[in-house]
Amino acid sequence: MPYMTFPQLKYSAMARIKPVMRILTGTAAAFWGLSLMVRQLSSASFLFTDLLLPQVVFYSLFALPAGILFRMLHIGFCFLMLKLYCGRPIAVSDLFYAFTAQTKTALRLSLVMAAFHVVPMIPFTVFSMKYTGTMHDMDLAIALFCYTPALVLKTMLNLIYSQAVYLMLDFPACPVKQLLRDSRLLMQGHKGRLFYIQVCMLPFILFIGVCTCGIGMLWITPFIYAVQTEFYLDLVTNRH
């Protein structure tokens, strides 16, 4: 059985979420509202000192908890979507699943995924903190030199371990190390396909989400999560 193409994933996802869009938009509103509050933790490091090294240390210390909390909410949204695809009733409260069930595993996995985001960005963070407000052409080139490898590394890690959350929800007894290993194995030969799908979803985010001053994200976010869930189910269904 061939793997689903992006148009197939898209239309299947839209058909699945259409009957429950009221609940999904409410969940998206709670998700983004809480996420914006959580991300303010990352900027709190600037309140403590003007020195570069302490700022970087504080930034990392604050960014990790913020990233963990964001990914705990992400786990909840994935859980809600899996419930929907299993034909079970869903509720906005499903967003907080990781805080009430599988909490230890969710925390450990969220810590790993948050580190994948924070650690590669440290060189760029150091540079941006040091030269904020005094950027010249050469400085901009160095900033891009620092940011590009971090972006590539973050993208690769996110693709390789993108299925770990769904595997955690499907196999709650698995330790984090095995979840990461299974995601890596599951994504062999599919990283390019998932990257293409993510690129195809960018126009939806840009033209609907951004052009509506973010309000459109209440509808786009459930669609994105539905496509991601379709992708995971397609992978495990067709796995040999």
Side-chain angles (χ1 to χ4, degrees):
M1 182 177 175
Y3 290 100
M4 296 174 70
T5 63
F6 174 67
Q8 290 172 326
L9 292 171
K10 178 179 68 174
Y11 290 121
S12 179
M14 292 174 67
R16 182 73 65 160
I17 65 177
K18 186 177 180 180
V20 290
M21 277 305 294
R22 180 176 296 181
I23 296 175
L24 292 176
T25 52
T27 305
F31 175 77
W32 285 115
L34 292 169
S35 297
L36 290 174
M37 292 172 60
V38 163
R39 288 181 178 180
Q40 296 305 309
L41 286 173
S42 300
S43 59
S45 59
F46 300 101
L47 301 175
F48 292 92
T49 178
D50 293 329
L51 300 176
L52 178 62
L53 182 58
Q55 272 192 354
V56 173
V57 173
F58 279 122
Y59 171 80
S60 301
L61 291 175
F62 278 87
L64 273 175
I68 290 170
L69 290 172
F70 175 77
R71 280 155 185 81
M72 295 282 279
L73 294 172
H74 166 70
I75 290 171
F77 218 130
C78 293
F79 172 71
L80 180 148
M81 280 298 174
L82 280 180
K83 282 183 66 179
L84 177 64
Y85 274 80
C86 291
R88 296 165 58 190
I90 60 173
V92 176
S93 58
D94 291 330
L95 186 64
F96 306 101
Y97 170 81
F99 298 93
T100 59
Q102 292 186 257
T103 305
K104 289 184 179 179
T105 304
L107 277 171
R108 291 168 183 165
L109 182 58
S110 297
L111 172 60
V112 173
M113 301 305 289
F116 287 162
H117 173 79
V118 173
V119 175
M121 291 299 295
I122 289 177
F124 176 74
T125 301
V126 171
F127 184 89
S128 61
M129 287 179 175
K130 185 175 181 180
Y131 293 103
T132 298
T134 61
M135 295 286 280
H136 302 292
D137 291 342
M138 184 59 68
D139 296 331
L140 182 60
I142 297 172
L144 290 174
F145 179 78
C146 294
Y147 182 71
T148 303
L151 180 62
V152 172
L153 180 58
K154 280 172 52 180
T155 302
M156 286 302 299
L157 290 172
N158 286 330
L159 290 172
I160 292 169
Y161 299 109
S162 58
Q163 308 309 304
V165 168
Y166 289 105
L167 290 168
M168 184 199 83
L169 296 170
D170 263 350
F171 305 98
C174 287
V176 170
K177 186 176 181 180
Q178 185 174 340
L179 293 173
L180 295 173
R181 175 182 175 274
D182 289 347
S183 177
R184 187 169 63 249
L185 293 175
L186 196 60
M187 285 301 294
Q188 286 183 354
H190 297 281
K191 292 183 285 294
R193 186 165 77 100
L194 180 57
F195 181 73
Y196 171 76
I197 290 169
Q198 291 175 345
V199 170
C200 288
M201 287 191 289
L202 281 178
F204 293 93
I205 298 172
L206 293 174
F207 293 107
I208 299 179
V210 176
C211 292
T212 58
C213 299
I215 298 175
M217 291 305 296
L218 300 183
W219 287 267
I220 295 300
T221 301
F223 168 71
I224 292 172
Y225 272 92
V227 170
Q228 291 173 348
T229 306
E230 291 269 3
F231 179 85
Y232 166 72
L233 294 173
D234 187 44
L235 271 184
V236 295
T237 301
N238 287 283
R239 189 179 185 184
H240 299 294

